Amino acid sequence: MIIPWLVDDAAPLAKRRAIAYPRGQSASTEGRPGMEDYKTSPFNALPPVVIALAVVIMGLELMFQAASMGLLGGAAGVGWRLDAIRDWAVFDEIAAYMRARGEVLPGELVRLVSYPLIHSGFVHAAFVVVFILAIGKMVAEVFSPLAFVVLFWASAICGAVGFVALIDSPYPLIGGYPGVYGLIGAFTFIMWTEARLRGGNRYRAFGLIGMLLAIQLFFGLLEGQFANVVADLSGFAAGFALSFVLRPGGIARLLDKLRQR
């Protein structure tokens, strides 16, 4: 997948793949099937920013798992997850309280960026990490590490805002799915742009979000609540919209358009 404005430089292919021959090995082995793959760890293909985000999320989940089994924190460790949800998750009641009082409590705003790190259990966290590794890899190969971080957290914040503004939910918002959906929005933007350049069907780029939305709506009907669907779609919309600015050269293009006005 080659998009002109996504290519940052014209470095040789060998440099991009970081191909190096071990001592005593000649370039003649290059053509041997599987030789390079055998020597290279599959984790080398993942951008460091993607690995870092996945490690933080899974590391916290493993800590909660160890605490629940009594391996950390003693007897108090069993309640660490519930304490974290109480102190760091997004609650509609808190947002309603601030709206009613007409004031913003800065200490409560931290919840907008802390809730993606807290999950309901190992399976919840594992699925988030899998999406981060899969979708995040493709996004981080196009966007800069800083843009990747902004995409994830800004989408998570927009997901939380959509959650408290559009839905009156009795349940807290936790987990990294709104941020993940922001990455899906960025991936959709990449596919949409490529289809536009190639003259293909641009609507096919929205196939992934359409499939995920159908699955979520199905489970929403079974569970009788759609609060998470609203948060995730808000995150997706934020990720897609931010991609226009965060893409390589996007800020410069935006400033040029503003000057022209």
Side-chain angles (χ1 to χ4, degrees):
M1 178 173 63
I2 301 176
I3 302 176
W5 54 264
L6 298 181
V7 179
D8 294 330
D9 54 59
L13 182 60
K15 288 185 179 180
R16 288 183 180 275
R17 294 184 178 177
I19 298 176
Y21 299 102
R23 184 178 299 177
Q25 181 178 331
S26 66
S28 61
T29 60
E30 183 181 0
R32 297 181 185 178
M35 180 63 74
E36 182 182 343
D37 294 337
Y38 178 77
K39 294 290 184 180
T40 305
S41 169
F43 292 100
N44 290 344
L46 289 171
V49 66
V50 177
I51 297 176
L53 181 58
V55 167
V56 169
I57 290 177
M58 186 50 68
L60 285 173
E61 177 56 34
L62 291 177
M63 180 193 73
F64 287 132
Q65 291 290 329
S68 67
M69 293 185 290
L71 301 178
L72 285 178
V78 178
W80 278 7
R81 188 189 302 275
L82 292 178
D83 291 341
I85 292 175
R86 179 195 63 203
D87 296 335
W88 305 109
V90 172
F91 287 88
D92 185 73
E93 295 94 329
I94 296 177
Y97 174 82
M98 289 191 290
R99 287 196 299 266
R101 296 282 298 264
E103 62 177 315
V104 175
L105 304 177
E108 301 298 341
L109 295 182
V110 179
R111 297 173 182 272
L112 298 176
V113 295
S114 61
Y115 84 88
L117 302 177
I118 307 168
H119 296 81
S120 60
F122 181 82
V123 174
H124 186 192
F127 272 103
V128 168
V129 168
V130 167
F131 271 108
I132 288 174
L133 295 178
I135 302 296
K137 176 183 184 299
M138 293 179 282
V139 173
E141 287 176 346
V142 171
F143 293 84
S144 69
L146 177 59
F148 177 88
V149 173
V150 172
L151 277 168
F152 182 86
W153 292 108
S155 299
I157 292 173
C158 290
V161 171
F163 176 83
V164 299
L166 303 176
I167 295 292
D168 183 12
S169 175
Y171 304 104
L173 176 64
I174 57 173
Y177 272 123
V180 165
Y181 269 75
L183 298 180
I184 294 174
F187 173 72
T188 301
F189 172 82
I190 295 171
M191 301 301 294
W192 178 77
T193 304
E194 182 183 13
R196 186 181 63 176
L197 291 175
R198 293 183 176 182
N201 186 349
R202 289 179 289 177
Y203 295 104
R204 290 184 178 179
F206 296 89
L208 177 59
I209 184 62
M211 178 186 68
L212 293 174
L213 176 59
I215 294 174
Q216 280 205 310
L217 289 176
F218 173 75
F219 283 103
L221 288 172
L222 292 180
E223 297 172 359
Q225 64 100 7
F226 299 92
N228 290 335
V229 178
V230 172
D232 295 343
L233 286 180
S234 298
F236 171 84
F240 186 82
L242 284 171
S243 297
F244 285 89
V245 178
L246 296 177
R247 67 179 183 175
I251 296 179
R253 288 181 176 86
L254 178 62
L255 291 176
D256 287 339
K257 290 184 178 180
L258 292 176
R259 292 191 189 101
Q260 291 173 5
R261 294 182 179 180

